[in-house]
Amino acid sequence: MNSVPQHQQLDDDRPSRRIHLRRTMIRRIGLVAAALSLALFGTGQALAVPTPVHTGAPGCMNAGPAKPNGKQWPAAPGMTINQKGSYTASLETNCGTITAKLDAAKAPRTVNSFVFLAGQQFFDHTHCHRLTTEGIFVLQCGDPTGTGRGGPGYKFPDENLAGATYPAGTLAMANAGPNTNGSQFFLVYKNSQLPPNYTPFGRITGGTDVLQNIASGGTKDGSGDGAPATDIVLQSVTTHS
């Protein structure tokens, strides 16, 4: 995601140099964060670190060997949802199920894309590659490559940003800058001080305990921003109207 505050960013494609510059700017405006290891998201590889502080989320099952289907599209799907309709999503993870209500009225293009990708089983067997435990408190998912750089092959514009806030329970899009939404999204498990740059498109309605449990496991390297200590996999994502 063009990710975030402490302004760590919720980017889905961000060069390590740009990340360094953005974090420096954030420090200057007073949002001082503990040193965060962002190398994983800039290069796709984690640096060697001391023994992790956390050992993982309890109760999670082995994710299994299944892989994402890797489908790609040259352009965003045509509008097929009913903007006045009611849509829900069910995210089946190896740690439990998280459900959400999608806001088709305020974020129609985003919900349309999410519903399309779910229908194509695009999210199935993808890893939630990023967990932040300082500043923004999110679990980031939706990248078929698991590197923070992947997507569906298309981008679409931002929506619903006027006055946007990110309290616990928010479902929103990650991006690499304005109007670069793809497939990566994040779930907020604790009120986050993100700027209104990330399209909010839903609210978590169930499985908050699952999300909190995942967050309690911390990151693999014990930092405030990194891959979850436990491999978190979206075994399936389905939507309903």
Side-chain angles (χ1 to χ4, degrees):
M1 321 176 166
N2 189 356
S3 237
V4 70
Q6 228 147 127
H7 242 61
Q8 305 147 14
Q9 305 199 345
L10 298 171
D11 301 330
D12 62 2
D13 183 10
R14 42 181 185 162
S16 59
R17 178 176 177 78
R18 181 171 65 182
I19 294 169
H20 174 73
L21 292 174
R22 288 183 178 177
R23 293 188 63 208
T24 299
M25 177 182 71
I26 289 164
R27 291 191 185 96
R28 290 175 180 172
I29 64 175
L31 292 176
V32 179
L36 300 178
S37 174
L38 297 181
L40 179 65
F41 306 102
T43 66
Q45 298 181 347
L47 299 176
V49 295
T51 302
V53 175
H54 302 284
T55 56
C60 294
M61 304 194 52
N62 189 296
K67 303 294 183 182
N69 60 34
K71 293 181 180 180
Q72 295 282 283
W73 296 268
M79 187 66 66
T80 59
I81 65 165
N82 177 359
Q83 296 183 36
K84 297 182 179 180
S86 177
Y87 292 85
T88 60
S90 178
L91 287 68
E92 302 281 347
T93 80
N94 59 313
C95 297
T97 302
I98 299 171
T99 58
K101 182 176 181 179
L102 308 181
D103 196 340
K106 293 183 178 179
R109 290 186 181 182
T110 306
V111 172
N112 187 69
S113 175
F114 191 87
V115 169
F116 169 77
L117 292 175
Q120 292 291 324
Q121 291 81 52
F122 177 86
F123 295 119
D124 295 5
H125 314 300
T126 59
H127 286 254
C128 292
H129 60 280
R130 184 184 187 193
L131 176 69
T132 61
T133 59
E134 297 177 359
I136 60 173
F137 311 110
V138 305
L139 177 67
Q140 187 169 331
C141 312
D143 175 5
T145 71
T147 65
R149 299 178 179 180
Y154 62 80
K155 303 292 184 182
F156 61 92
D158 298 322
E159 297 178 297
N160 196 28
L161 295 185
T165 58
Y166 306 87
T170 299
L171 179 62
M173 293 300 295
N175 61 54
N179 303 311
T180 59
N181 300 289
S183 60
Q184 292 189 44
F185 61 91
F186 60 95
L187 303 97
V188 182
Y189 65 89
K190 183 178 178 181
N191 294 347
S192 291
Q193 296 180 340
L194 282 163
N197 296 340
Y198 311 98
T199 298
F201 69 100
R203 292 287 303 168
I204 295 172
T205 56
T208 300
D209 57 333
V210 174
L211 187 56
Q212 293 284 353
N213 183 51
I214 291 171
S216 74
T219 61
K220 287 186 184 296
D221 63 8
S223 72
D225 188 337
T230 299
D231 286 336
I232 308 301
V233 174
L234 297 177
Q235 297 177 320
S236 70
V237 175
T238 55
T239 59
H240 309 276
S241 59

